[in-house]
Amino acid sequence: MEIKIWNDCTHSVPTVYTHAFTGDGEDVWKACHEEGCPPFNLAVIHHFDFDNDLTPWPASNVRKGEPPFSGNAPTHLEEMLRVWMPEVESQLPAPSLYVAQAGYSLAGLFTLWSTWQTDVFKRIACVSASLWYPHLIDYLTDHHPACRPDRIYFSLGDKESRTRHPLMSQVETCTRSVHDLVREMGIPTHFEMNPGNHFTAPDKRMAKAVAWILA
């Protein structure tokens, strides 16, 4: 696992953590500036096991012929909190004003699940998140989050549920259910539908999410 830090401030600003499927987050950083995000640090985790490090418990893979998800998120989160986040903080020009997390796809799943494990992340963005993951709704309903974030953002593409896969076709229903659950907890939330499928303009969607949670 590696982390790339993007920042252009010398004073204390929020630090947003995210996981990159490819690259080191430069496209997201540029998109955030185009979106007019307020000043912040972006800490991008890359070169890790996307399918396994971001899933909270073992489950069958949704891609035919692929091995099952291993569910290594607890170990991955522990390493983030114990090793990588202190390392990032030591490299910033000033201490973080607060720490947030934003994630796309399985990283969006990890981002939300993390809120049920730790009170570190004060603001959360789940972008085209894999909230169809088996048993997730039951887990969130049966357990209490470790903290109440200041705000949580959700978004999806309006074509993401148009798939024949029995799990992934439930993504909009699941996302709306999670959004309602969080809202009932009294946490400020926002749900946004974007045009396109799961792979449409991910950097722009992430930038919109980051702009909202930092506002």
Side-chain angles (χ1 to χ4, degrees):
M1 186 169 75
E2 300 178 33
I3 292 188
K4 170 69 175 181
I5 303 172
W6 299 91
N7 72 302
D8 50 18
C9 297
T10 58
H11 57 284
S12 290
V13 294
T15 298
V16 178
Y17 284 80
T18 190
H19 291 76
F21 182 69
T22 60
D24 61 3
E26 183 176 10
D27 291 342
V28 172
W29 180 245
K30 290 180 178 178
C32 286
H33 280 69
E34 293 170 358
E35 187 68 25
C37 291
F40 74 107
N41 308 307
L42 182 65
V44 182
I45 301 167
H46 58 102
H47 287 93
F48 64 100
D49 190 339
F50 199 86
D51 279 3
N52 296 314
D53 287 345
L54 300 178
T55 47
W57 45 76
S60 298
N61 205 309
V62 293
R63 292 185 293 274
K64 188 175 181 179
E66 292 292 319
F69 298 115
S70 296
N72 294 339
T75 300
H76 181 66
L77 178 61
E78 192 276 334
E79 186 176 5
M80 277 184 64
L81 297 174
R82 180 176 57 85
V83 178
W84 293 101
M85 292 177 66
E87 177 67 20
V88 168
E89 198 68 26
S90 72
Q91 296 182 41
L92 296 175
S96 297
L97 192 61
Y98 60 83
V99 176
Q101 188 176 186
Y104 200 99
S105 192
L106 283 176
L109 164 68
F110 177 85
T111 295
L112 183 70
W113 171 84
S114 296
T115 305
W116 264 248
Q117 315 306 313
T118 177
D119 61 358
V120 168
F121 304 105
K122 304 306 181 186
R123 303 187 183 192
I124 296 294
C126 303
V127 185
S128 292
S130 303
L131 303 186
W132 47 259
Y133 200 76
H135 312 301
L136 177 69
I137 302 296
D138 290 340
Y139 177 84
L140 299 179
T141 303
D142 294 342
H143 298 78
H144 295 290
C147 71
R148 292 178 178 267
D150 296 335
R151 47 177 47 198
I152 301 181
Y153 173 98
F154 299 91
S155 72
L156 278 178
D158 58 12
K159 296 180 180 178
E160 290 199 52
S161 61
R162 299 180 189 177
T163 171
R164 294 181 180 179
H165 194 284
L167 274 178
M168 298 179 72
S169 65
Q170 297 300 309
V171 64
E172 183 174 342
T173 299
C174 292
T175 302
R176 291 188 181 278
S177 294
V178 174
H179 171 256
D180 290 344
L181 175 66
V182 169
R183 185 173 55 186
E184 289 170 2
M185 294 177 182
I187 301 171
T189 65
H190 180 65
F191 180 85
E192 183 169 3
M193 293 294 287
N194 297 295
N197 60 28
H198 185 68
F199 304 100
T200 303
D203 300 329
K204 183 176 180 180
R205 291 184 190 178
M206 283 288 288
K208 291 167 66 177
V210 170
W212 191 85
I213 63 172
L214 294 180

